[in-house]
Amino acid sequence: MKKYFKPAALLVLLVMICSVFSSCNALDEMRKSHAFWNNEDKTEILYNGEVYKKLSGSEDFLITDHIGYSNGYAYVTEKDVPLLLSDLLGTWIDIYHDGKLLQVGYQDSYYLESEYDEYLEKIKNTKFDKFRVFNSFSEKYELLSDEDSQIIIDIITQSEIVEITNYDFVYLGEIWRCDADMYFVSEKFELLKDPDGYYLGIGYTEYCYKVPEEMTERFEKIAKAYFIDWYYE
Amino acid sequence: MVKKLIKHEMLFYLRTLLPAELILLGMALLVRFVQFFESDAVIYDIVAISSIVTYVIAIIVCVVMMFITGLTRFYKNLYTAEGYLSFTLPVTHSGHIFSKLFSAVAVSLITALVIGVSLAIATAGEVFSEIVKAGNYLFKMLFDYTGVHGVLFIIEFIVLVIVSLSTGYLLYYTCITAGQMAKKNRVLAAFGIYFGYYFVCQTIGTFFMIMTAIFNEPIARLMENIGLFAETHPIATVHIFFISVIIFDAIIGGVYYFLTHLIMKKRLNLE
């Protein structure tokens, strides 16, 4: 037994020494998705060597890229949180716009500091005067024509708001108020249907606009053009 | 004399378990060695996963061996031909049970330590340093949040582990001892007693579940009050939890010890 002790101890020592100089791919990957709060009031994030600044009032709108085009994810923690606890103690970040935009949680957005002012300017000058839909057939976002957009505006301005109490509603799809480039979106409307007709659900609330009978035909054209009608499938 | 018995018990365990634990350390070393060649190649994945699987198997084998050795040692040393020699020693029945229990629990803790060391070897370097950092941070969080209570939690946890291990071993000692009352097939009888005990425990558990369903309202109210207390006194709740489980385990363990001792002394013709 004793004669094996020295070679065994030597082998252990050798492995230990080599271990100091070797790296681990899994840890490197984790390191890539570990971001840090850059200041105490959490208005800045340090990620991948770049500083990201919080978009003030970013909770008032959602950005197109937020929906379905995430470039990856990361976790943001305080600077002293060890790597292995980053996912446990950190807050989830979705990365958008080729790594320029970070969305933390569901509301707060942070933009790359070097392009922050330019981006902010773009937001300020944005006019949400168009509507876009996710076409269920082509599986792409499409801008509604001016004529179709006007129907939506007419419904919003002219029809009564009712509470969603009927569980026979069938969800057909979503319509978003957006800018002409479909880059920014603001309000979300859900297209609902029941035996009595069509409804436009308001965002994440329990209320909706009931599509008036005189507009139903025009509205149905939009519904049939963009959404698979699960109601009669 | 009990000290000498414990010494011999430990020597026995050393002879039996040392090779397995050395193999475990060797497997850990192999896992670490394979990681030096980390790459995206499929062959690396196959070798790395195989080495990790072998390492995990080695851990399981070590734990199972430790457990089985603890029980067979108790059985062979006291209830087979060896027992005639054991009971000629100037040691009481309590001394025998205690020496076996003490060494089995000690060996369990040593095995846990060896598994810890093997993990340190398998993750040596950057990963291990990150594990240490994470551990330190969690301890810091614990002490920041609970202050001195953190130390008490750790002590309570260690006591709970020792008491639970002892109770676990004592249950099997009781079953083995009770099995010796059978005229034939004593080992089989010990298994039968264990499964009978398990069946009774399950029946009692089911009965309590049925009672819980029948008296749903008062139990829900009780749970709500406990939840409220836990929310307002979180630190006290953890202490109460640890201490009550320790006391419960200790009482059950005491009953097993008493039964083992009683059967050994009164019902078995061992001397």
Side-chain angles (χ1 to χ4, degrees), chain A residues 1 8 11-12 14-16 18-20 22-28 31 78 80-85 88-89, chain B residues 18 22 29 32-33 35-36 38-40 120-121 124-128 130-135 137-138 140-141:
Chain A
M1 191 84 174
L11 185 69
V12 172
L14 200 69
V15 169
M16 296 297 139
C18 291
S19 302
V20 178
S22 70
S23 65
C24 172
N25 287 352
L27 282 185
D28 293 341
R31 216 165 268 132
E78 299 294 345
D80 60 340
V81 173
L83 186 61
L84 294 183
L85 297 175
L88 190 72
L89 304 175
Chain B
L18 188 66
L22 284 178
L29 206 62
R32 187 64 193 97
F33 186 71
Q35 284 166 19
F36 288 141
E38 194 172 31
S39 73
D40 295 332
I121 293 172
E126 206 186 2
V127 180
F128 184 67
E130 285 297 334
I131 291 173
V132 171
K133 274 186 208 166
Y137 188 84
L138 288 175
K140 188 178 154 282
M141 271 176 76

Side-chain angles (χ1 to χ4, degrees), chain B residues 255-271:
Chain B
V255 171
Y256 294 152
Y257 180 86
F258 173 75
L259 282 174
T260 310
H261 187 259
L262 187 77
I263 298 167
M264 204 184 255
K265 197 171 182 186
K266 306 272 186 194
R267 307 296 292 262
L268 303 177
N269 182 20
L270 298 167
E271 281 150 280

Side-chain angles (χ1 to χ4, degrees), chain B residues 116-127:
Chain B
V117 171
S118 75
L119 276 171
I121 293 172
T123 57
E126 206 186 2
V127 180

Side-chain angles (χ1 to χ4, degrees), chain A residues 2-190:
Chain A
K2 277 180 186 168
K3 68 177 178 181
Y4 295 116
F5 182 75
K6 269 189 186 173
L10 207 67
L11 185 69
V12 172
L13 197 68
L14 200 69
V15 169
M16 296 297 139
I17 291 167
C18 291
S19 302
V20 178
F21 301 106
S22 70
S23 65
C24 172
N25 287 352
L27 282 185
D28 293 341
E29 283 300 314
M30 282 184 84
R31 216 165 268 132
K32 276 183 200 164
S33 47
H34 192 186
F36 303 98
W37 295 114
N38 205 30
N39 54 7
E40 276 187 13
D41 47 1
K42 298 184 176 178
T43 54
E44 284 181 10
I45 289 175
L46 185 66
Y47 173 63
N48 247 344
E50 302 271 10
V51 175
Y52 291 76
K53 272 175 79 177
K54 188 175 181 179
L55 292 163
S56 53
S58 61
E59 60 274 13
D60 294 333
F61 56 87
L62 288 169
I63 292 154
T64 307
D65 280 0
H66 284 191
I67 307 145
Y69 295 115
S70 171
N71 303 132
Y73 70 92
Y75 294 97
V76 59
T77 67
E78 299 294 345
K79 281 182 178 165
D80 60 340
V81 173
L83 186 61
L84 294 183
L85 297 175
S86 60
D87 58 344
L88 190 72
L89 304 175
T91 309
W92 177 275
I93 293 178
D94 269 315
I95 302 162
Y96 297 98
H97 205 192
D98 297 330
K100 288 179 185 172
L101 180 82
L102 308 179
Q103 195 193 357
V104 181
Y106 290 105
Q107 289 189 330
D108 296 329
S109 299
Y110 292 72
Y111 207 79
L112 196 63
E113 194 182 35
S114 55
E115 295 178 30
Y116 181 82
D117 293 334
E118 191 187 323
Y119 190 74
L120 216 57
E121 199 59 33
K122 199 172 178 182
I123 292 172
K124 278 177 191 164
N125 296 328
T126 301
K127 284 180 185 163
F128 294 103
D129 52 0
K130 303 281 178 188
F131 290 90
R132 56 152 229 198
V133 293
F134 184 76
N135 191 325
S136 315
F137 302 102
S138 64
E139 298 196 336
K140 278 180 188 167
Y141 284 108
E142 286 176 23
L143 207 60
L144 289 185
S145 65
D146 286 347
E147 194 189 338
D148 288 345
S149 293
Q150 193 53 50
I151 298 168
I152 306 295
I153 291 169
D154 288 349
I155 291 167
I156 292 166
T157 50
Q158 293 170 25
S159 56
E160 57 167 335
I161 294 176
V162 293
E163 198 176 346
I164 301 173
T165 50
N166 181 354
Y167 292 98
D168 285 342
F169 275 128
V170 173
Y171 167 90
L172 293 177
E174 286 168 7
I175 296 176
W176 298 78
R177 194 191 278 275
C178 66
D179 67 327
D181 300 330
M182 288 200 292
Y183 192 76
F184 295 120
V185 294
S186 58
E187 290 168 279
K188 182 182 98 165
F189 301 99
E190 288 181 350

Side-chain angles (χ1 to χ4, degrees), chain B:
Chain B
M1 194 63 198
V2 173
K3 270 187 192 172
K4 280 186 181 171
L5 268 181
I6 291 172
K7 186 185 150 193
H8 283 281
E9 290 292 322
M10 296 309 278
L11 283 172
F12 168 80
Y13 280 116
L14 189 73
R15 276 199 307 273
T16 319
L17 297 179
L18 188 66
E21 292 184 350
L22 284 178
I23 289 170
L24 173 65
L25 295 177
M27 291 314 304
L29 206 62
L30 180 73
V31 169
R32 187 64 193 97
F33 186 71
V34 169
Q35 284 166 19
F36 288 141
F37 306 98
E38 194 172 31
S39 73
D40 295 332
V42 178
I43 188 75
Y44 168 76
D45 284 345
I46 294 170
V47 174
I49 291 169
S50 306
S51 70
I52 291 169
V53 168
T54 321
Y55 170 62
V56 171
I57 291 171
I59 291 178
I60 295 168
V61 167
C62 251
V63 172
V64 172
M65 250 184 96
M66 169 209 83
F67 180 68
I68 290 174
T69 311
L71 300 185
T72 50
R73 175 71 179 164
F74 179 81
Y75 169 71
K76 281 191 176 169
N77 201 229
L78 296 180
Y79 301 126
T80 60
E82 261 182 63
Y84 289 100
L85 187 66
S86 300
F87 284 106
T88 56
L89 297 170
V91 183
T92 58
H93 292 93
S94 310
H96 278 298
I97 300 170
F98 177 75
S99 65
K100 297 277 181 290
L101 181 65
F102 180 86
S103 39
V105 171
V107 166
S108 302
L109 297 176
I110 291 168
T111 306
L113 193 71
V114 171
I115 292 171
V117 171
S118 75
L119 276 171
I121 293 172
T123 57
E126 206 186 2
V127 180
F128 184 67
S129 101
E130 285 297 334
I131 291 173
V132 171
K133 274 186 208 166
N136 282 344
Y137 188 84
L138 288 175
F139 274 115
K140 188 178 154 282
M141 271 176 76
L142 174 73
F143 292 123
D144 283 351
Y145 184 65
T146 62
V148 73
H149 291 281
V151 181
L152 294 174
F153 287 153
I154 293 168
I155 293 169
E156 284 163 10
F157 177 74
I158 293 168
V159 173
L160 176 64
V161 168
I162 292 170
V163 171
S164 300
L165 270 173
S166 308
T167 306
Y169 275 112
L170 279 166
L171 165 64
Y172 296 109
Y173 289 176
T174 310
C175 293
I176 292 168
T177 307
Q180 304 312 305
M181 291 195 294
K183 286 185 179 160
K184 282 195 282 184
N185 299 324
R186 289 170 176 174
V187 176
L188 196 66
F191 273 104
I193 289 165
Y194 174 75
F195 285 113
Y197 169 84
Y198 184 76
F199 176 75
V200 170
C201 284
Q202 289 295 313
T203 312
I204 292 170
T206 312
F207 175 75
F208 272 106
M209 278 174 72
I210 293 166
M211 287 293 116
T212 312
I214 292 170
F215 302 106
N216 183 27
E217 209 174 299
I219 286 170
R221 213 176 306 132
L222 178 72
M223 294 311 289
E224 201 177 299
N225 288 339
I226 291 171
L228 201 68
F229 180 81
E231 263 177 42
T232 46
H233 305 87
I235 291 176
T237 308
V238 178
H239 280 307
I240 291 169
F241 169 77
F242 272 130
I243 291 168
S244 52
V245 176
I246 289 168
I247 292 171
F248 179 76
D249 262 6
I251 291 170
I252 299 281
V255 171
Y256 294 152
Y257 180 86
F258 173 75
L259 282 174
T260 310
H261 187 259
L262 187 77
I263 298 167
M264 204 184 255
K265 197 171 182 186
K266 306 272 186 194
R267 307 296 292 262
L268 303 177
N269 182 20
L270 298 167
E271 281 150 280

